[in-house]
Amino acid sequence: MKKIFLVAALAGAALMTSCCKDNSKVTLGSLSGEMDSLSYALGVNIGTGLGYELKDIPFDYKAMDEGLKKSALGKSDLSREEALETIKDYFMNKRPERGRAISKQRAQADSIRQATGDTTKVEYPVADEAMFESEEERREVSYAFGSDIGFNIRQNGIPVQVVWLIEGLQNVRDNNTKMNDAQANQFLQNYFMVQRPAENEAASKAWLEKIEKKSGVKKTESGLLYKVVKAGDEATKATDKRDTVQVHYTGRTREGKVFDSSIFKNRSKEQQEMLKQYRPDDYDKDEPIEFPLNRVIPGWAEGVQLVGKGGKIMLWIPAELAYGARGAGSDIGPNDALEFEIELIDVKPYVEPAPADSTATTTTPEPVKK
């Protein structure tokens, strides 16, 4: 199975959106009770991935585990941006350069031995200490790496007990795991492909049933729930899914977590910081979004057509009208129902392109006279 969190950390995962409300399911847990198999399997999965992909790096695993634990529990000493900056600098700049220097040094040493007739076979360490220039840097990078893994775990909404996850990591390092990598992968695969989709489906159904009973909420034949907050101009509506609309919107999970928004105050702290970096002069400006309705999820397209220009509407979209069993990104799981708050700013009706003029003739140029 793909090492989801490891890969995310290595790549300097794209900033994920979240609202200020903390809906994390991560807990500390206790080794004194029954083993939490999901957390342990995740630890084995990540630990095995580290051994395969980063075996050349002599991490400070104590610092890494500390960073993972604190970040997963929402208590990291580093911001997400600080952790990512440290990771990207090391893996994109320092690691390649130092790896080449170590290889060159070893090759030169081998050449000298061969030239002097020394046939001694030298066993070089897989993880050379020279990959870090100091113990301080080693701890800093290790802590940041663990912090990013912990952040990704926290944001994915998985019910993880941190102590069992770290136990799995440590057991991989000690080569005495309670389940091997194949067993851990099988357990995680069952969780993500069978158990979690079923849990989401049941929870989404119960959530929508509760929403449907609220005052002013209506239901379409497709199963879309909506509440018109402001009708807008009834004469100016989107009537064709090829129409283009301009909107302000905020999308939330059923737990209230914002996964996307065109409104600055609704964005996550991480996205706000990113906007400050790339748009320092107007980072807090709300930017309406414009797109054709045939390029959004079905429930969204249907719902926007229920209000006129200037109108506002709330949508509660069943998974089958959203992202279905596949989900989307880290915030929207398989079979997740969603909530959208939408303000329709403008509508641009689709215009059929003019047909080609079949009566037009091609003019043949006269031959050049010599």
Side-chain angles (χ1 to χ4, degrees):
M1 180 179 176
K2 181 181 177 183
K3 305 294 186 291
I4 300 172
F5 303 107
L6 176 60
V7 171
L10 281 171
L15 295 178
M16 291 178 286
T17 58
S18 62
C19 68
C20 56
K21 184 178 178 181
D22 187 356
N23 292 296
S24 174
K25 299 177 182 178
V26 179
T27 57
L28 179 59
S30 173
L31 291 175
S32 61
E34 183 179 349
M35 181 178 81
D36 182 71
S37 298
L38 174 61
S39 304
Y40 187 84
L42 190 57
V44 171
N45 178 262
I46 296 172
T48 303
L50 280 167
Y52 283 142
E53 301 178 43
L54 301 177
K55 58 185 177 183
D56 63 312
I57 303 178
F59 283 113
D60 179 341
Y61 288 113
K62 183 177 180 181
M64 182 188 291
D65 292 351
E66 180 186 357
L68 190 160
K69 175 182 175 181
K70 286 187 174 181
S71 183
L73 294 172
K75 300 177 181 179
S76 178
D77 301 327
L78 296 177
S79 69
R80 183 78 196 289
E81 292 74 24
E82 290 170 334
L84 286 176
E85 190 60 37
T86 298
I87 293 168
K88 286 189 285 187
D89 180 47
Y90 181 78
F91 283 98
M92 295 176 67
N93 302 315
K94 297 176 180 177
R95 181 194 185 193
E97 181 182 330
R98 291 172 189 173
R100 288 191 294 269
I102 291 170
S103 296
K104 182 178 179 180
Q105 185 181 47
R106 291 176 179 179
Q108 289 174 340
D110 289 341
S111 296
I112 292 173
R113 281 195 301 275
Q114 290 175 4
T116 58
D118 186 350
T119 59
T120 304
K121 185 177 181 180
V122 178
E123 293 290 341
Y124 293 110
V126 175
D128 198 301
E129 293 296 323
M131 289 298 290
F132 292 110
E133 65 179 10
S134 66
E135 279 300 312
E136 182 181 356
E137 183 191 53
R138 180 179 177 224
R139 172 176 169 75
E140 181 182 76
V141 172
S142 301
Y143 185 93
F145 192 88
S147 181
D148 192 56
I149 294 175
F151 180 89
N152 282 299
I153 291 170
R154 184 175 183 81
Q155 291 299 299
N156 270 270
I158 305 171
V160 169
Q161 293 184 23
V162 177
V163 294
W164 281 109
L165 186 147
I166 293 178
E167 177 79 357
L169 282 169
Q170 187 60 53
N171 286 174
V172 169
R173 298 164 194 158
D174 297 337
N175 198 29
N176 66 344
T177 57
K178 299 176 177 64
M179 62 173 75
N180 59 35
D181 188 43
Q183 292 169 328
N185 287 345
Q186 185 176 18
F187 191 95
L188 291 173
Q189 201 166 35
N190 180 73
Y191 174 77
F192 284 109
M193 298 181 69
V194 180
Q195 182 179 338
R196 197 177 191 190
E199 291 174 351
N200 285 347
E201 183 176 14
S204 291
K205 181 181 178 182
W207 180 64
L208 291 173
E209 288 175 348
K210 185 176 180 180
I211 295 292
E212 189 176 355
K213 296 175 183 177
K214 291 187 175 182
S215 176
V217 174
K218 298 180 180 180
K219 186 175 184 178
T220 68
E221 290 184 7
S222 69
L224 174 70
L225 298 181
Y226 71 96
K227 180 177 181 178
V228 175
V229 179
K230 181 181 177 183
D233 182 1
E234 294 288 332
T236 310
K237 280 186 171 183
T239 57
D240 188 309
K241 289 186 178 179
R242 294 171 295 180
D243 291 348
T244 295
V245 297
Q246 186 181 65
V247 298
H248 267 309
Y249 70 96
T250 297
R252 299 181 179 87
T253 66
R254 66 176 184 277
E255 296 171 326
K257 180 180 181 181
V258 174
F259 57 82
D260 196 9
S261 181
S262 63
I263 300 173
F264 179 80
K265 69 178 183 179
N266 289 344
R267 294 177 183 269
S268 69
K269 291 180 179 179
E270 290 77 23
Q271 278 205 336
Q272 289 179 359
E273 289 300 321
M274 182 175 66
L275 288 173
K276 285 181 183 179
Q277 181 180 352
Y278 293 105
R279 257 175 34 196
D281 296 331
D282 62 348
Y283 67 88
D284 58 349
K285 181 181 178 181
D286 293 338
E287 294 284 357
I289 309 296
E290 184 173 295
F291 40 69
L293 287 178
N294 58 10
R295 295 189 182 179
V296 295
I297 56 176
W300 212 100
E302 180 184 356
V304 171
Q305 295 179 70
L306 298 173
V307 291
K309 178 179 177 179
K312 295 182 180 181
I313 191 170
M314 293 292 301
L315 304 178
W316 295 274
I317 306 177
E320 59 268 24
L321 298 178
Y323 296 96
R326 72 183 186 278
S330 61
D331 292 328
I332 303 172
N335 297 330
D336 266 346
L338 305 173
E339 175 185 276
F340 278 95
E341 181 179 353
I342 302 170
E343 177 185 0
L344 181 58
I345 298 172
D346 197 9
V347 178
K348 296 179 181 179
Y350 175 76
V351 178
E352 290 281 359
D357 187 353
S358 60
T359 64
T361 58
T362 302
T363 303
T364 304
E366 294 183 7
V368 177
K369 295 181 180 180
K370 297 181 179 180

PDB file of all heavy atoms in Angstrom, residues 30 84 99 134 207 213 233 271 370:
ATOM      1  N   SER A  30      -2.854   4.548  25.348  1.00  0.00           N
ATOM      2  CA  SER A  30      -2.058   3.959  26.424  1.00  0.00           C
ATOM      3  C   SER A  30      -1.584   2.566  26.035  1.00  0.00           C
ATOM      4  O   SER A  30      -2.346   1.777  25.471  1.00  0.00           O
ATOM      5  CB  SER A  30      -2.891   3.871  27.710  1.00  0.00           C
ATOM      6  OG  SER A  30      -2.189   3.159  28.704  1.00  0.00           O
ATOM      7  N   LEU A  84       7.679  22.599   7.102  1.00  0.00           N
ATOM      8  CA  LEU A  84       7.836  22.362   5.672  1.00  0.00           C
ATOM      9  C   LEU A  84       9.075  23.040   5.115  1.00  0.00           C
ATOM     10  O   LEU A  84       9.772  22.487   4.260  1.00  0.00           O
ATOM     11  CB  LEU A  84       6.594  22.843   4.922  1.00  0.00           C
ATOM     12  CG  LEU A  84       5.338  21.980   5.053  1.00  0.00           C
ATOM     13  CD1 LEU A  84       4.169  22.645   4.345  1.00  0.00           C
ATOM     14  CD2 LEU A  84       5.572  20.591   4.486  1.00  0.00           C
ATOM     15  N   GLY A  99      25.003  13.766  -0.207  1.00  0.00           N
ATOM     16  CA  GLY A  99      25.059  12.400  -0.718  1.00  0.00           C
ATOM     17  C   GLY A  99      26.138  12.252  -1.782  1.00  0.00           C
ATOM     18  O   GLY A  99      26.894  11.268  -1.803  1.00  0.00           O
ATOM     19  N   SER A 134      25.723  18.758  11.855  1.00  0.00           N
ATOM     20  CA  SER A 134      25.810  18.864  13.308  1.00  0.00           C
ATOM     21  C   SER A 134      24.664  18.094  13.950  1.00  0.00           C
ATOM     22  O   SER A 134      23.666  17.774  13.292  1.00  0.00           O
ATOM     23  CB  SER A 134      25.756  20.332  13.753  1.00  0.00           C
ATOM     24  OG  SER A 134      24.481  20.881  13.461  1.00  0.00           O
ATOM     25  N   TRP A 207     -26.680  12.307   9.361  1.00  0.00           N
ATOM     26  CA  TRP A 207     -26.514  13.764   9.354  1.00  0.00           C
ATOM     27  C   TRP A 207     -27.527  14.431   8.437  1.00  0.00           C
ATOM     28  O   TRP A 207     -28.173  15.413   8.796  1.00  0.00           O
ATOM     29  CB  TRP A 207     -25.091  14.091   8.916  1.00  0.00           C
ATOM     30  CG  TRP A 207     -24.762  15.545   8.850  1.00  0.00           C
ATOM     31  CD1 TRP A 207     -24.730  16.438   9.886  1.00  0.00           C
ATOM     32  CD2 TRP A 207     -24.388  16.281   7.680  1.00  0.00           C
ATOM     33  NE1 TRP A 207     -24.359  17.684   9.434  1.00  0.00           N
ATOM     34  CE2 TRP A 207     -24.145  17.619   8.084  1.00  0.00           C
ATOM     35  CE3 TRP A 207     -24.218  15.947   6.340  1.00  0.00           C
ATOM     36  CZ2 TRP A 207     -23.743  18.610   7.189  1.00  0.00           C
ATOM     37  CZ3 TRP A 207     -23.814  16.928   5.440  1.00  0.00           C
ATOM     38  CH2 TRP A 207     -23.591  18.248   5.867  1.00  0.00           C
ATOM     39  N   LYS A 213     -34.862  17.788   8.679  1.00  0.00           N
ATOM     40  CA  LYS A 213     -35.934  18.133   9.611  1.00  0.00           C
ATOM     41  C   LYS A 213     -35.899  19.600  10.034  1.00  0.00           C
ATOM     42  O   LYS A 213     -36.819  20.080  10.702  1.00  0.00           O
ATOM     43  CB  LYS A 213     -35.848  17.242  10.848  1.00  0.00           C
ATOM     44  CG  LYS A 213     -36.073  15.764  10.545  1.00  0.00           C
ATOM     45  CD  LYS A 213     -35.865  14.922  11.788  1.00  0.00           C
ATOM     46  CE  LYS A 213     -36.028  13.432  11.480  1.00  0.00           C
ATOM     47  NZ  LYS A 213     -35.764  12.577  12.663  1.00  0.00           N
ATOM     48  N   ASP A 233     -32.307  37.682  -7.864  1.00  0.00           N
ATOM     49  CA  ASP A 233     -33.072  38.105  -9.029  1.00  0.00           C
ATOM     50  C   ASP A 233     -33.558  36.869  -9.788  1.00  0.00           C
ATOM     51  O   ASP A 233     -32.789  36.208 -10.481  1.00  0.00           O
ATOM     52  CB  ASP A 233     -32.187  38.970  -9.937  1.00  0.00           C
ATOM     53  CG  ASP A 233     -32.926  39.484 -11.159  1.00  0.00           C
ATOM     54  OD1 ASP A 233     -34.135  39.181 -11.305  1.00  0.00           O
ATOM     55  OD2 ASP A 233     -32.300  40.182 -11.980  1.00  0.00           O
ATOM     56  N   GLN A 271      -3.520  28.276   5.016  1.00  0.00           N
ATOM     57  CA  GLN A 271      -3.780  28.940   3.748  1.00  0.00           C
ATOM     58  C   GLN A 271      -3.660  30.454   3.875  1.00  0.00           C
ATOM     59  O   GLN A 271      -3.186  31.128   2.963  1.00  0.00           O
ATOM     60  CB  GLN A 271      -5.163  28.569   3.217  1.00  0.00           C
ATOM     61  CG  GLN A 271      -5.200  27.238   2.496  1.00  0.00           C
ATOM     62  CD  GLN A 271      -6.347  27.189   1.503  1.00  0.00           C
ATOM     63  OE1 GLN A 271      -7.332  27.899   1.631  1.00  0.00           O
ATOM     64  NE2 GLN A 271      -6.209  26.332   0.511  1.00  0.00           N
ATOM     65  N   LYS A 370       5.368  35.721 -64.434  1.00  0.00           N
ATOM     66  CA  LYS A 370       6.823  35.835 -64.535  1.00  0.00           C
ATOM     67  C   LYS A 370       7.204  36.846 -65.603  1.00  0.00           C
ATOM     68  O   LYS A 370       6.532  36.979 -66.610  1.00  0.00           O
ATOM     69  CB  LYS A 370       7.433  34.467 -64.821  1.00  0.00           C
ATOM     70  CG  LYS A 370       7.187  33.466 -63.696  1.00  0.00           C
ATOM     71  CD  LYS A 370       7.846  32.129 -64.027  1.00  0.00           C
ATOM     72  CE  LYS A 370       7.616  31.128 -62.899  1.00  0.00           C
ATOM     73  NZ  LYS A 370       8.248  29.823 -63.183  1.00  0.00           N
TER      74      LYS A 370
END
